[in-house]
Amino acid sequence: YNGEVNGQTVTTRDIGEVKLNVAGIEHPTLKRQVLIEAADLRSVSTTYYSASVSPHTLKRTTEATDTKTNERTYWADVQVFAIDMPRRVLTETKPTSHVRKVETYSNGVRKVTVEVLCDSVPGAVVAHTMKQVHESGSTVTRSTLDLIDYQVIAKPATPAKAASSPARRGLFRRRRKSG
């Protein structure tokens, strides 16, 4: 799934292996382009995927254009800018990744989001801060989020069937008559 909805066509193309620099360290990535087309919209996303580090998508750019006017309606630039950074998560220090996302909309609004992600936390998001600013400079929206608690519930181990256990009896009993 690449973000498309019904009626949109999707074309993906692997561009090749590319080294991507994150905080001075080169990471091998697979560069892939995804094109989503609809009647009046064209969206092109380029992702840089790394199998060796988390978060695995180290960079993504997306540009959406109106096909009738050929004007840009949306632009996004998502980049991991730090990997394996120590961060206090509740009572423990854990390795985290820091991600910056900048989105620009055709109505003049620009949104900047910074996230802190941790693989050992369900959902991965430990902290998040966001600010939307109109081109006039006025703040439209701002928000922060900090993880205050989480719980990981381990799956119960499936007990192995003991060889000495009796055969399972059916729910209903049927008496057989002889003769």
Side-chain angles (χ1 to χ4, degrees):
Y1 175 73
N2 295 293
E4 76 277 6
V5 296
N6 286 338
Q8 295 179 332
T9 59
V10 177
T11 308
T12 60
R13 181 173 61 116
D14 287 344
I15 297 172
E17 298 271 334
V18 176
K19 296 255 187 210
L20 190 68
N21 187 318
V22 177
I25 299 172
E26 298 269 321
H27 298 278
T29 63
L30 173 64
K31 185 177 179 181
R32 173 176 285 167
Q33 194 172 60
V34 177
L35 172 65
I36 301 174
E37 293 181 289
D40 56 352
L41 177 72
R42 174 186 163 99
S43 173
V44 179
S45 293
T46 305
T47 61
Y48 297 78
Y49 176 83
S50 171
S52 60
V53 296
S54 181
H56 297 288
T57 300
L58 297 179
K59 181 178 178 179
R60 183 180 72 239
T61 59
T62 302
E63 180 180 31
T65 53
D66 184 327
T67 56
K68 293 177 184 171
T69 63
N70 208 27
E71 289 185 25
R72 181 192 287 177
T73 58
Y74 175 79
W75 169 260
D77 180 35
V78 183
Q79 290 189 37
V80 175
F81 64 89
I83 295 173
D84 202 25
M85 293 290 292
R87 166 84 182 216
R88 191 103 170 135
V89 178
L90 304 180
T91 60
E92 300 176 70
T93 301
K94 295 185 177 274
T96 62
S97 298
H98 296 242
V99 181
R100 184 192 78 230
K101 180 178 185 179
V102 179
E103 298 171 276
T104 306
Y105 300 88
S106 60
N107 63 357
V109 172
R110 179 182 168 104
K111 181 164 91 172
V112 178
T113 305
V114 177
E115 288 183 325
V116 179
L117 307 175
C118 179
D119 285 343
S120 62
V121 172
V125 179
V126 172
H128 163 109
T129 183
M130 182 273 296
K131 182 178 179 181
Q132 278 186 328
V133 179
H134 193 269
E135 62 187 0
S136 65
S138 61
T139 300
V140 178
T141 307
R142 62 181 174 193
S143 70
T144 61
L145 173 131
D146 287 299
L147 183 68
I148 58 170
D149 199 9
Y150 72 95
Q151 182 178 8
V152 177
I153 301 172
K155 289 183 179 180
T158 11
K161 215 175 194 181
S164 63
S165 67
R168 184 175 169 184
R169 296 174 69 168
L171 196 54
F172 301 102
R173 247 192 218 191
R174 186 178 349 167
R175 290 193 180 177
R176 297 182 185 214
K177 294 181 185 180
S178 57

